[in-house]
């Protein structure tokens, strides 16, 4: 049945969209998450061997498939669009109000997700589900949360970065890019076997610098600076970023894949490398080249209603997509559909199935849990900066800890979940109300 854009709730929101709404930015936000979800589903290699669940990544097993990451590693676009949303939100109040408002919108669906999984993993473990089966799954489903922890750090720094943007403009992007390049090069030169091992961890600064670089480009976009550049400038961005990627990876000092792969000596994402800076420039330049045509397309009611519908539950979709994958494995494994050798004709033939079945599993999960994302928190008045800062620190530590170790309350992750809960309370979200009037923002 075709969507009736005039009668659905999303259709009514789409029809009421202000004329000045940047529809292209909303589409980029949706695309960046949907591509991540589809990529995880398509590239997952799941094997059930000797009573254990084992996983791998087809990118590491199929020669040449890493090239897809040069287009499909779209996290830089999410941070880029986040720059637009952060600039708009930062104008509405002080630092504490801004950070609390941005964080609680993301934390409500996240806390619900982790609470369900903490209770579920504990119950299944006590019910006798073998740890060799349950624990890898409980670790897999929370791994993407690393992105949320780093995004919250970037949000906390956004007001300060916005002040730099207003004073120095595009120069800040250049400074951040150079700082990220220096951190990466020093870290690689120093290395454990390099000339100064004590500087080996300098590159960890790029966990923040590279994503601040992407956000700062988003500020340029939000202020109209980037859109005012001629088309040839956008083409130069895309070509320069892509050429730099080719040069860096051809040198052999950086791996060709833009995502971390099992067996790689180094990763371009842990921490983000100079290649991710080049990838950001390439993808943003490409996006700007496509923007005029795509914006005209989004003026049509149906595609814009689809963007509004997806955008209103985007975080929920991201949080639950690996749970949907785990459910798909439970369904498809008994049918012998989980173990073809990656890269073979049989494996390629099954790729559509590995999109359709997880998608079918995800639909009821989104229907059930999207309410936490679509409701607006009722916040305590006059947030105190100290409480917000402490709450944010606790939340980031808790989320990154769970992302690294997995959600296994029968062991150490209970402490990390406690930190997340305390941090959420300090941020001050105490209730909620349904939000049916606005297009969801990241």
């Amino acid at each position: 049945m075709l969507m009736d854009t005039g009668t659905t709730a999303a259709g009514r929101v789409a029809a009421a969209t202000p004329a000045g709404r940047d529809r292209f930015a909303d589409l980029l936000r949706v695309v960046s998450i949907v591509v991540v979800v589809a990529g995880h589903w398509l590239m997952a290699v799941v094997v059930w061997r000797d009573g254990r669940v084992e996983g791998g990544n087809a990118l590491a097993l199929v020669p040449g498939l890493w090239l897809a990451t040069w287009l499909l590693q779209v996290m830089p676009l999410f941070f880029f669009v986040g720059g637009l949303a952060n600039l708009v939100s930062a104008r509405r109040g002080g630092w504490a109000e801004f950070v609390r408002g941005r964080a609680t919108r993301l934390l409500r669906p996240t806390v619900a997700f982790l609470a369900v999984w903490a209770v579920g993993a504990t119950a299944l473990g006590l019910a006798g589900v073998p740890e060799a089966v349950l624990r890898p799954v409980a670790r897999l489903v929370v791994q993407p949360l690393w992105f949320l922890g780093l995004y919250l750090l970037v949000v906390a720094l956004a007001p300060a970065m916005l002040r730099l943007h207003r004073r120095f403009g595009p120069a800040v992007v250049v400074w951040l890019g150079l700082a990220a390049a220096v951190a990466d090069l020093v870290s690689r030169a120093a290395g454990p076997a390099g000339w100064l091992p004590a500087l080996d961890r300098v590159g960890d600064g790029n966990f923040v610098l590279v994503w601040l670089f992407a956000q700062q480009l988003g500020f340029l976009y939000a202020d109209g600076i980037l859109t005012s550049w001629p088309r040839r400038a956008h083409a130069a961005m895309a070509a320069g970023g892509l050429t730099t990627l080719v040069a860096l990876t051809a040198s052999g000092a950086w791996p060709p894949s833009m995502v971390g792969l099992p067996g790689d000596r180094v990763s371009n994402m842990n921490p983000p490398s100079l290649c991710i800076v080049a990838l950001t420039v390439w993808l943003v330049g490409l996006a700007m080249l496509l923007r005029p045509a795509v914006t005209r397309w989004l003026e049509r009611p149906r595609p814009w209603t689809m963007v509004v519908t997806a955008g209103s539950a985007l975080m929920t979709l991201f949080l639950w997509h690996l749970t949907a994958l785990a459910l798909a494995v439970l369904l498809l494994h008994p049918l012998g559909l989980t173990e073809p050798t990656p890269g073979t004709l049989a494996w390629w033939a099954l790729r559509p199935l590995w999109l359709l079945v997880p998608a079918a599993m995800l639909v009821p999960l989104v229907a059930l849990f999207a309410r936490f994302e679509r409701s607006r928190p009722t916040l305590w008045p006059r947030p105190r900066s100290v409480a917000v800062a402490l709450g944010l620190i606790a939340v980031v530590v808790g989320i990154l800890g769970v992302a690294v170790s997995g959600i296994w309350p029968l062991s150490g992750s209970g402490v990390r979940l406690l930190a997340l809960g305390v941090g959420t309370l300090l941020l001050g979200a105490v209730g909620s109300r349904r939000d049916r009037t606005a297009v969801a923002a990241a």
Side-chain angles (χ1 to χ4, degrees):
M1 180 181 296
L2 293 176
M3 181 185 302
D4 183 347
T5 59
T7 58
T8 64
R12 290 191 294 272
V13 173
T17 301
R21 181 80 185 189
D22 193 326
R23 302 185 180 206
F24 181 68
D26 285 291
L27 178 66
L28 281 184
R29 182 184 299 113
V30 170
V31 167
S32 64
I33 295 299
V34 170
V35 167
V36 169
V37 168
H40 285 166
W41 289 347
L42 289 172
M43 296 299 106
V45 177
V46 182
V47 179
W48 206 313
R49 181 181 293 119
D50 300 327
R52 296 180 60 88
V53 176
E54 300 178 1
N57 192 324
L59 292 169
L61 301 172
V62 181
L65 197 55
W66 54 263
L67 188 59
T69 66
W70 288 27
L71 188 63
L72 301 181
Q73 170 51 291
V74 290
M75 278 294 104
L77 289 180
F78 191 90
F79 284 87
F80 168 71
V81 178
L84 168 63
N86 289 338
L87 183 145
V88 172
S89 298
R91 290 170 173 165
R92 299 172 183 166
W95 180 85
E97 291 88 348
F98 164 75
V99 171
R100 185 181 65 169
R102 299 293 287 156
T104 52
R105 186 169 191 126
L106 296 170
L107 285 175
R108 288 182 59 77
T110 303
V111 170
F113 165 75
L114 291 174
V116 170
W117 258 104
V119 173
T122 301
L124 291 171
L126 295 175
V129 176
E131 183 175 338
V133 173
L134 183 56
R135 192 158 189 165
V137 175
R139 185 174 184 179
L140 169 72
V141 296
V142 296
Q143 282 182 349
L145 289 180
W146 68 264
F147 136 80
L148 178 59
L150 294 178
Y151 185 74
L152 288 173
L153 283 177
V154 170
V155 165
L157 294 171
M161 300 308 299
L162 182 55
R163 286 193 291 272
L164 290 176
H165 164 73
R166 287 169 176 161
R167 183 171 181 181
F168 299 107
V172 184
V173 176
V174 177
W175 298 341
L176 288 169
L178 290 175
V182 169
D184 188 28
L185 293 171
V186 169
S187 178
R188 290 173 187 276
W195 51 272
L196 192 57
L199 296 179
D200 180 38
R201 307 311 303 179
V202 168
D204 287 350
N206 278 353
F207 280 118
V208 175
L209 288 172
V210 169
W211 303 125
L212 286 177
F213 173 83
Q215 175 183 250
Q216 212 74 17
L217 281 173
F219 290 166
L220 294 181
Y221 177 82
D223 271 354
I225 297 173
L226 200 56
T227 55
S228 70
W229 292 354
R231 187 172 179 82
R232 62 179 178 273
H234 299 148
M237 283 183 67
L242 186 58
T243 301
T244 303
L245 265 183
V246 171
L248 291 174
T249 55
S251 72
W254 288 267
S257 173
M258 295 301 110
V259 301
L261 298 177
D264 278 351
R265 181 178 57 85
V266 292
S267 166
N268 279 317
M269 284 294 289
N270 186 27
S273 72
L274 183 54
C275 283
I276 303 302
V277 175
L279 178 73
T280 301
V281 175
W282 145 241
L283 290 178
V284 170
L286 179 62
M288 297 307 297
L289 287 172
L290 296 174
R291 181 176 180 268
V294 173
T295 298
R296 290 192 296 270
W297 177 68
L298 290 173
E299 293 296 327
R300 301 176 183 178
R302 195 172 305 281
W304 177 234
T305 300
M306 293 171 61
V307 171
V308 171
T309 303
S312 68
L314 202 56
M315 191 66 189
T316 306
L317 186 148
F318 175 77
L319 289 167
W320 289 95
H321 78 279
L322 289 181
T323 302
L325 177 64
L327 293 173
V329 171
L330 289 176
L331 175 66
L332 296 176
H333 174 73
L335 303 177
L337 298 175
T338 60
E339 301 180 16
T341 302
T344 62
L345 183 60
W347 184 82
W348 282 111
L350 287 174
R351 290 310 88 198
L353 189 67
W354 281 96
L355 280 178
L356 294 174
V357 175
M361 297 295 180
L362 186 58
V363 168
L365 292 172
V366 172
L368 183 61
F369 294 106
R371 68 192 67 188
F372 295 100
E373 182 171 0
R374 289 171 176 160
S375 60
R376 282 186 174 181
T378 302
L379 301 171
W380 292 334
R382 302 189 194 91
R384 295 183 179 275
S385 296
V386 172
V388 171
L390 291 176
L392 187 70
I393 292 170
V395 162
V396 170
V397 169
I399 287 177
L400 293 179
V402 169
V404 170
S405 66
I407 186 161
W408 193 249
L410 298 178
S411 65
S413 68
V415 176
R416 302 176 184 93
L417 291 172
L418 178 62
L420 175 60
V422 170
T424 302
L425 289 175
L426 285 172
L427 285 170
V430 295
S432 67
R433 54 185 174 86
R434 292 286 286 176
D435 177 13
R436 297 180 180 274
T437 61
V439 178

